[in-house]
Amino acid sequence: MQTNQFLKRDHFLLGTFSTNCSGGMTVSKLPDRWKADWESNLKIGKLLDEAGIDFMLPIARWIGYGGETDFHGYVLETVTWATALLANTKQLTVFATIHTAANHPVVVAKQIATMAQMSDERVGLNIVAGWNKPEYEALGLTLPDDHETRYGYAQEWFDIVKKLWTHDGPFDWDGTYFKLKHTYGNPKPHTMPPIYNAAGSGLGREFAAHNADFLFTPAIDLARSKQEVAELKQQALEQEGRKVGVLTFAHVICRPTEAEAQKVWQSLQDNADWEATDNLIRLQFAHAQSFPHDLLQLIRERFAAGHGGFPLVGTPEQVADGITQLHEAGFSGTTLSFFDYAEEFPYFRDNVLPILESRGIRRKFV
């Protein structure tokens, strides 16, 4: 298979995260919080496409986090969402986030291949092995307590997807979790779609090193991140002989003055849905290992404002400085979230992107 064009980009990648979910990445009670309806997603998708932003990444959710707002209780399903966005954009890569336990690999392989054909190979796949126990229960599924089972299942799941994309003719599959007879995949994507994965456990990171093009990890403390990113890249190279990029996620509050930006940050703290925030943190800490437990208070504030993302708060120059620091820490890119994506992104586009381009961190592509 040829290399996907997305993987040939050699600048610091930028994308958005969670525009398909109510509230986006902000656990807020403010009435003008992100609504996540299709009209809003189409608007931001076109803005990102025209600005040369690299990708959009959704969160796959089936139930919300409760609280007054039921944060992430309203969610556009990611395959149909991505397909519609691909049909309405020209250069943007759009990812579908797929839970392996809830989606059959033969069906997903066909969906992604179809999306690749209709979008000139601009679709990506974000694989989720599972962590949100109440969500599993809502689907009538059991979340395995051990990571060995979760990632063993995910590995077999993705092995089937890859074989469907690359193998000519029918085949049988006699695995631990799947028994398939005379299955095959047509059409196939012409290039291997870019693969994302977020994992915090040792087994999760082994899975990412073996399968993903980019692994997600939070940037809480950049000194710690610099070491972690180097170790993750080295692990993939030594264990798998593969180059794997490391991405993070960030929340943007960009205003003409630092005082204005800090005022917005404080407003998000003052109007946070703390019940939903604490539910989100509790589930993350109980069933996932993505966040360091020794930084809980700092994490709690960041979860309220941006789902735990790295804060990019200040003037355009200060926001650009923060992105530059992520680049210098070794990250290959970051997602961006905003309180109101469509309202706030144009200011970021007009005032931050030119700074990043002048520093050689970003390149325009049109």
Side-chain angles (χ1 to χ4, degrees):
M1 268 189 172
Q2 299 176 355
T3 302
N4 190 281
Q5 288 296 318
F6 182 82
L7 301 178
K8 296 180 180 179
R9 296 180 187 175
D10 59 356
H11 61 206
F12 190 80
L13 298 171
L14 293 177
T16 54
F17 197 9
S18 192
T19 64
N20 67 310
C21 300
S22 56
M25 296 284 276
T26 310
V27 196
S28 175
K29 295 190 289 186
L30 290 168
D32 55 343
R33 61 188 179 273
W34 183 248
K35 290 181 172 55
D37 57 15
W38 170 242
E39 182 181 1
S40 301
N41 274 273
L42 180 59
K43 182 177 181 180
I44 185 59
K46 288 184 173 181
L47 287 170
L48 298 170
D49 190 44
E50 292 165 1
I53 295 299
D54 299 288
F55 65 92
M56 293 182 76
L57 176 65
I59 290 179
R61 285 272 75 84
W62 306 101
I63 60 172
Y65 293 102
E68 182 179 321
T69 62
D70 192 26
F71 178 64
H72 284 188
Y74 177 105
V75 176
L76 301 183
E77 188 278 325
T78 71
V79 171
T80 45
W81 170 91
T83 304
L85 281 168
L86 289 166
N88 282 280
T89 54
K90 297 178 180 179
Q91 57 189 0
L92 187 70
T93 295
V94 187
F95 282 76
T97 296
I98 301 292
H99 290 249
T100 58
N103 297 272
H104 196 281
V106 176
V107 176
V108 172
K110 178 77 73 176
Q111 289 171 322
I112 298 295
T114 304
M115 295 158 77
Q117 185 176 120
M118 51 80 68
S119 68
D120 194 24
E121 309 289 313
R122 289 186 292 115
V123 63
L125 173 61
N126 179 34
I127 301 172
V128 181
W131 63 271
N132 191 337
K133 189 172 183 179
E135 196 164 60
Y136 269 62
E137 293 170 346
L139 294 173
L141 301 171
T142 300
L143 176 68
D145 292 329
D146 62 296
H147 283 70
E148 288 83 0
T149 302
R150 294 188 216 174
Y151 284 102
Y153 183 96
Q155 187 61 64
E156 187 173 328
W157 184 95
F158 189 49
D159 286 343
I160 293 169
V161 170
K162 287 187 293 184
K163 187 161 185 176
L164 288 161
W165 285 342
T166 57
H167 181 81
D168 290 327
F171 62 90
D172 295 341
W173 187 277
D174 185 18
T176 303
Y177 303 100
F178 295 94
K179 311 289 184 183
L180 311 177
K181 284 206 173 286
H182 199 76
T183 191
Y184 57 94
N186 279 317
K188 306 179 191 303
H190 294 302
T191 66
M192 182 64 71
I195 304 300
Y196 281 178
N197 179 248
S201 68
L203 283 172
R205 292 187 167 182
E206 286 178 15
F207 175 87
H210 183 63
N211 299 289
D213 298 299
F214 295 95
L215 181 155
F216 269 95
T217 192
I220 306 299
D221 173 83
L222 290 188
R224 183 184 298 197
S225 292
K226 188 171 185 178
Q227 179 180 351
E228 180 185 21
V229 169
E231 290 173 351
L232 289 168
K233 290 180 178 179
Q234 189 64 25
Q235 176 185 349
L237 201 57
E238 289 180 355
Q239 295 181 5
E240 303 290 341
R242 303 179 67 241
K243 289 186 177 180
V244 175
V246 182
L247 300 174
T248 192
F249 49 102
H251 187 72
V252 179
I253 301 174
C254 189
R255 299 293 187 272
T257 68
E258 183 179 2
E260 289 175 90
Q262 290 294 339
K263 184 177 179 180
V264 174
W265 173 270
Q266 188 57 51
S267 174
L268 296 183
Q269 300 298 315
D270 294 340
N271 293 280
D273 185 341
W274 288 113
E275 182 181 350
T277 301
D278 290 336
N279 287 340
L280 173 56
I281 293 172
R282 177 178 51 80
L283 285 167
Q284 285 272 351
F285 276 59
H287 303 294
Q289 298 178 22
S290 300
F291 289 88
H293 289 215
D294 57 324
L295 299 174
L296 178 57
Q297 184 54 43
L298 176 64
I299 288 171
R300 189 171 186 260
E301 294 177 4
R302 291 187 183 183
F303 259 96
H307 207 299
F310 186 75
L312 297 170
V313 181
T315 65
E317 191 80 23
Q318 289 172 317
V319 169
D321 287 345
I323 293 173
T324 302
Q325 289 168 4
L326 293 173
H327 173 69
E328 290 172 345
F331 288 106
S332 303
T334 186
T335 64
L336 306 169
S337 58
F338 302 84
F339 177 75
D340 186 325
Y341 296 81
E343 182 70 24
E344 296 177 58
F345 173 72
Y347 186 76
F348 177 92
R349 174 198 64 200
D350 296 341
N351 295 280
V352 179
L353 288 182
I355 300 174
L356 299 178
E357 290 164 9
S358 71
R359 295 179 183 181
I361 293 173
R362 291 278 302 172
R363 288 185 183 85
K364 277 187 176 180
F365 68 96
V366 292

